[in-house]
Amino acid sequence: MTKRSPRASRPVRAAAILAVGLAGGACARGESGTTLRVALWAGGHELEIERQVADHYEALHPGVRVVLESAPNGYEERLLTSIAAGRPPDVYLMDSPDIPTFVERGLALDLAPYQEALGFRPDSVFGQVADAFRRGGSMFALPKDFTPMVLYANRGVLAAAGVEDLLPAASSPGAPPAGWTWTDFRRAAEAVVADTDGDGRPNVFGFDFPRNLYQWVPFVWSAGGDILAPGGHGAEGYLDGTEALEAYRFLTAMAEDGLTPGAQFVQQGDPAREARFASGGQAFLLSGHWTLPVFRDLVETGALDLAIVPIPHHPSRRAATSVLYASGWAVPPNAPHLRRAIDLAGFLASPEAQRIRARSGLAIPSRMDVAAEIASADDTGVEDAFIALVGGARMTWGARVRDFSRIEALAVEIMDRRLVRGEPLASSASDVARRIDAEFEW
């Protein structure tokens, strides 16, 4: 249940004094021997990019050292434990599904009183992203970056099947494409299925089955339904509602009719899907911006003719509604170096940091001006296509509903039970909705 988020328990006067200290130039001077710890989940190249951001902060603040503490696995549990044990990091990265957990428990400082001192303006950030971290007049994290879920389309595969013209085209520069229905999507997916190696089995597919809720929820929204009641206070009548069932039927039919590859019923999803898509074995791939670096070199060299298109919508609807996932920089109220931690969070969310971070290509910068800069420098048009789809997307329910991961874990059964055991979708959806309501006791 979404409860009213508590304000950080710091007196208003103390907050004002701290803001004056930041604005007065204290943030421009180093503090010899100060070590600031930043908790995040980045790994590999992404962690290297974050190190470059941290190095830049250190160069601006001689005597300050920034230590990045990455936990790619079990991140939320480790972070909660460290804060509760009195050994919190100075700054931590908050994922959108973690917002209710940390905000409702009072584990994130309200940064709204320091926005002016930090040079942070909420109106410089994409609206849905800023709202995810906002509760009333409070701001519990400074937005880092985000992504909508989109469809990657391999135009080469579609052209070979003679159905490239089914892809939607933008109605005007910067506007999202229109007229892209489930019927169009199904026709394109059917047309590309082929056995090109002559072994009697298809090796080119239309799509890979979206097994997890974070992938398929846009199909429910794009049928005019939802998975939870308004306010997020109940699943019955929504997760098993008429529109949701239409989405489940549409997706499971694609799997049952052989339009998707069979290797899909594993917790990790389909590990070969990116390679299959890039090599011409699949026409469409449902993902976020985080997949783009996998294809960037192929797109730039012309080896992959890539299009970014919206989630298709039910024929009765005028447009699709996709889902957004975001992250932001938060400060625990018991941070060891509170004033400096607030300053660091402000830098990590700054335009300068976002420009450095954009080199990774994993997400869209939260600041609209930086995102526009990145898009203008992209000759492929891919970044523009992503940004055009932001307006038709909404934030994940996980940003409002605490312990949403439990709902995701149960919801995966709905279509699995149909495809693995042949159960009617209506009964499995109804059963899962009842269990969610019983567990959450809305």
Side-chain angles (χ1 to χ4, degrees), residues 181-183 222-225 243 246 313-319:
T181 69
W182 289 359
T183 303
S222 297
E243 296 87 355
E246 285 199 61
H313 56 86
H314 190 278
S316 67
R317 310 290 294 180
R318 295 186 61 183

PDB file of all heavy atoms in Angstrom, residues 181-183 222-225 243 246 313-319:
ATOM      1  N   THR A 181      -0.845  -0.925 -34.456  1.00  0.00           N
ATOM      2  CA  THR A 181      -1.732  -1.748 -33.646  1.00  0.00           C
ATOM      3  C   THR A 181      -1.200  -3.169 -33.469  1.00  0.00           C
ATOM      4  O   THR A 181      -0.247  -3.579 -34.137  1.00  0.00           O
ATOM      5  CB  THR A 181      -3.123  -1.835 -34.283  1.00  0.00           C
ATOM      6  OG1 THR A 181      -3.031  -2.602 -35.500  1.00  0.00           O
ATOM      7  CG2 THR A 181      -3.679  -0.447 -34.588  1.00  0.00           C
ATOM      8  N   TRP A 182      -1.870  -3.898 -32.573  1.00  0.00           N
ATOM      9  CA  TRP A 182      -1.529  -5.307 -32.399  1.00  0.00           C
ATOM     10  C   TRP A 182      -1.671  -6.062 -33.719  1.00  0.00           C
ATOM     11  O   TRP A 182      -0.898  -6.982 -34.001  1.00  0.00           O
ATOM     12  CB  TRP A 182      -2.455  -5.941 -31.360  1.00  0.00           C
ATOM     13  CG  TRP A 182      -2.203  -5.499 -29.950  1.00  0.00           C
ATOM     14  CD1 TRP A 182      -1.240  -4.629 -29.510  1.00  0.00           C
ATOM     15  CD2 TRP A 182      -2.936  -5.913 -28.794  1.00  0.00           C
ATOM     16  NE1 TRP A 182      -1.331  -4.473 -28.153  1.00  0.00           N
ATOM     17  CE2 TRP A 182      -2.351  -5.243 -27.688  1.00  0.00           C
ATOM     18  CE3 TRP A 182      -4.013  -6.757 -28.579  1.00  0.00           C
ATOM     19  CZ2 TRP A 182      -2.824  -5.413 -26.383  1.00  0.00           C
ATOM     20  CZ3 TRP A 182      -4.496  -6.935 -27.286  1.00  0.00           C
ATOM     21  CH2 TRP A 182      -3.907  -6.274 -26.202  1.00  0.00           C
ATOM     22  N   THR A 183      -2.649  -5.690 -34.514  1.00  0.00           N
ATOM     23  CA  THR A 183      -2.861  -6.354 -35.808  1.00  0.00           C
ATOM     24  C   THR A 183      -1.661  -6.152 -36.722  1.00  0.00           C
ATOM     25  O   THR A 183      -1.173  -7.102 -37.357  1.00  0.00           O
ATOM     26  CB  THR A 183      -4.127  -5.803 -36.478  1.00  0.00           C
ATOM     27  OG1 THR A 183      -5.249  -5.985 -35.601  1.00  0.00           O
ATOM     28  CG2 THR A 183      -4.385  -6.512 -37.800  1.00  0.00           C
ATOM     29  N   SER A 222      -1.700  -0.595 -22.952  1.00  0.00           N
ATOM     30  CA  SER A 222      -2.020  -0.224 -24.327  1.00  0.00           C
ATOM     31  C   SER A 222      -3.280  -0.907 -24.838  1.00  0.00           C
ATOM     32  O   SER A 222      -3.664  -0.719 -25.999  1.00  0.00           O
ATOM     33  CB  SER A 222      -0.824  -0.539 -25.242  1.00  0.00           C
ATOM     34  OG  SER A 222       0.292   0.243 -24.842  1.00  0.00           O
ATOM     35  N   ALA A 223      -3.915  -1.687 -23.965  1.00  0.00           N
ATOM     36  CA  ALA A 223      -5.253  -2.218 -24.248  1.00  0.00           C
ATOM     37  C   ALA A 223      -6.303  -1.429 -23.470  1.00  0.00           C
ATOM     38  O   ALA A 223      -7.497  -1.743 -23.535  1.00  0.00           O
ATOM     39  CB  ALA A 223      -5.334  -3.697 -23.877  1.00  0.00           C
ATOM     40  N   GLY A 224      -5.848  -0.418 -22.709  1.00  0.00           N
ATOM     41  CA  GLY A 224      -6.763   0.401 -21.920  1.00  0.00           C
ATOM     42  C   GLY A 224      -6.985  -0.104 -20.514  1.00  0.00           C
ATOM     43  O   GLY A 224      -7.839   0.426 -19.788  1.00  0.00           O
ATOM     44  N   GLY A 225      -6.222  -1.131 -20.090  1.00  0.00           N
ATOM     45  CA  GLY A 225      -6.393  -1.678 -18.752  1.00  0.00           C
ATOM     46  C   GLY A 225      -5.266  -1.315 -17.826  1.00  0.00           C
ATOM     47  O   GLY A 225      -4.444  -0.444 -18.104  1.00  0.00           O
ATOM     48  N   GLU A 243      -9.334  -6.103 -20.090  1.00  0.00           N
ATOM     49  CA  GLU A 243      -8.261  -5.593 -20.948  1.00  0.00           C
ATOM     50  C   GLU A 243      -6.955  -6.345 -20.714  1.00  0.00           C
ATOM     51  O   GLU A 243      -6.213  -6.635 -21.659  1.00  0.00           O
ATOM     52  CB  GLU A 243      -8.056  -4.095 -20.713  1.00  0.00           C
ATOM     53  CG  GLU A 243      -9.244  -3.235 -21.091  1.00  0.00           C
ATOM     54  CD  GLU A 243     -10.254  -3.087 -19.965  1.00  0.00           C
ATOM     55  OE1 GLU A 243     -10.074  -3.744 -18.905  1.00  0.00           O
ATOM     56  OE2 GLU A 243     -11.217  -2.316 -20.125  1.00  0.00           O
ATOM     57  N   GLU A 246      -7.077  -9.618 -22.471  1.00  0.00           N
ATOM     58  CA  GLU A 246      -6.857  -9.469 -23.913  1.00  0.00           C
ATOM     59  C   GLU A 246      -5.368  -9.398 -24.227  1.00  0.00           C
ATOM     60  O   GLU A 246      -4.905  -9.968 -25.217  1.00  0.00           O
ATOM     61  CB  GLU A 246      -7.571  -8.219 -24.425  1.00  0.00           C
ATOM     62  CG  GLU A 246      -9.068  -8.367 -24.538  1.00  0.00           C
ATOM     63  CD  GLU A 246      -9.670  -7.325 -25.464  1.00  0.00           C
ATOM     64  OE1 GLU A 246      -9.311  -7.311 -26.663  1.00  0.00           O
ATOM     65  OE2 GLU A 246     -10.486  -6.529 -24.985  1.00  0.00           O
ATOM     66  N   HIS A 313      -0.423  -0.988 -29.892  1.00  0.00           N
ATOM     67  CA  HIS A 313      -1.595  -0.813 -29.042  1.00  0.00           C
ATOM     68  C   HIS A 313      -2.781  -1.609 -29.569  1.00  0.00           C
ATOM     69  O   HIS A 313      -2.830  -2.005 -30.743  1.00  0.00           O
ATOM     70  CB  HIS A 313      -1.962   0.676 -28.932  1.00  0.00           C
ATOM     71  CG  HIS A 313      -2.204   1.350 -30.250  1.00  0.00           C
ATOM     72  ND1 HIS A 313      -3.421   1.337 -30.894  1.00  0.00           N
ATOM     73  CD2 HIS A 313      -1.374   2.070 -31.042  1.00  0.00           C
ATOM     74  CE1 HIS A 313      -3.340   2.015 -32.025  1.00  0.00           C
ATOM     75  NE2 HIS A 313      -2.097   2.467 -32.144  1.00  0.00           N
ATOM     76  N   HIS A 314      -3.741  -1.842 -28.695  1.00  0.00           N
ATOM     77  CA  HIS A 314      -4.971  -2.541 -29.057  1.00  0.00           C
ATOM     78  C   HIS A 314      -5.670  -1.760 -30.173  1.00  0.00           C
ATOM     79  O   HIS A 314      -5.655  -0.524 -30.177  1.00  0.00           O
ATOM     80  CB  HIS A 314      -5.871  -2.636 -27.825  1.00  0.00           C
ATOM     81  CG  HIS A 314      -7.055  -3.528 -28.012  1.00  0.00           C
ATOM     82  ND1 HIS A 314      -8.214  -3.098 -28.638  1.00  0.00           N
ATOM     83  CD2 HIS A 314      -7.282  -4.817 -27.653  1.00  0.00           C
ATOM     84  CE1 HIS A 314      -9.090  -4.082 -28.655  1.00  0.00           C
ATOM     85  NE2 HIS A 314      -8.556  -5.145 -28.057  1.00  0.00           N
ATOM     86  N   PRO A 315      -6.285  -2.449 -31.128  1.00  0.00           N
ATOM     87  CA  PRO A 315      -6.939  -1.737 -32.241  1.00  0.00           C
ATOM     88  C   PRO A 315      -7.994  -0.730 -31.796  1.00  0.00           C
ATOM     89  O   PRO A 315      -8.299   0.205 -32.549  1.00  0.00           O
ATOM     90  CB  PRO A 315      -7.570  -2.884 -33.054  1.00  0.00           C
ATOM     91  CG  PRO A 315      -6.697  -4.059 -32.771  1.00  0.00           C
ATOM     92  CD  PRO A 315      -6.283  -3.914 -31.331  1.00  0.00           C
ATOM     93  N   SER A 316      -8.549  -0.897 -30.600  1.00  0.00           N
ATOM     94  CA  SER A 316      -9.575   0.038 -30.123  1.00  0.00           C
ATOM     95  C   SER A 316      -8.986   1.316 -29.545  1.00  0.00           C
ATOM     96  O   SER A 316      -9.727   2.267 -29.258  1.00  0.00           O
ATOM     97  CB  SER A 316     -10.440  -0.635 -29.050  1.00  0.00           C
ATOM     98  OG  SER A 316      -9.676  -0.895 -27.877  1.00  0.00           O
ATOM     99  N   ARG A 317      -7.674   1.348 -29.360  1.00  0.00           N
ATOM    100  CA  ARG A 317      -7.013   2.511 -28.753  1.00  0.00           C
ATOM    101  C   ARG A 317      -6.327   3.355 -29.820  1.00  0.00           C
ATOM    102  O   ARG A 317      -5.981   2.869 -30.893  1.00  0.00           O
ATOM    103  CB  ARG A 317      -5.976   2.049 -27.721  1.00  0.00           C
ATOM    104  CG  ARG A 317      -6.480   1.039 -26.711  1.00  0.00           C
ATOM    105  CD  ARG A 317      -7.461   1.629 -25.735  1.00  0.00           C
ATOM    106  NE  ARG A 317      -6.823   2.630 -24.887  1.00  0.00           N
ATOM    107  CZ  ARG A 317      -7.471   3.307 -23.946  1.00  0.00           C
ATOM    108  NH1 ARG A 317      -8.765   3.109 -23.749  1.00  0.00           N
ATOM    109  NH2 ARG A 317      -6.830   4.183 -23.200  1.00  0.00           N
ATOM    110  N   ARG A 318      -6.080   4.621 -29.487  1.00  0.00           N
ATOM    111  CA  ARG A 318      -5.444   5.520 -30.451  1.00  0.00           C
ATOM    112  C   ARG A 318      -3.927   5.487 -30.375  1.00  0.00           C
ATOM    113  O   ARG A 318      -3.236   5.827 -31.340  1.00  0.00           O
ATOM    114  CB  ARG A 318      -5.929   6.947 -30.213  1.00  0.00           C
ATOM    115  CG  ARG A 318      -7.410   7.136 -30.473  1.00  0.00           C
ATOM    116  CD  ARG A 318      -7.811   8.596 -30.368  1.00  0.00           C
ATOM    117  NE  ARG A 318      -7.111   9.410 -31.359  1.00  0.00           N
ATOM    118  CZ  ARG A 318      -7.241  10.723 -31.449  1.00  0.00           C
ATOM    119  NH1 ARG A 318      -8.022  11.371 -30.604  1.00  0.00           N
ATOM    120  NH2 ARG A 318      -6.577  11.406 -32.375  1.00  0.00           N
ATOM    121  N   ALA A 319      -3.389   5.104 -29.207  1.00  0.00           N
ATOM    122  CA  ALA A 319      -1.931   5.092 -29.042  1.00  0.00           C
ATOM    123  C   ALA A 319      -1.565   4.156 -27.901  1.00  0.00           C
ATOM    124  O   ALA A 319      -2.431   3.722 -27.129  1.00  0.00           O
ATOM    125  CB  ALA A 319      -1.412   6.505 -28.755  1.00  0.00           C
TER     126      ALA A 319
END
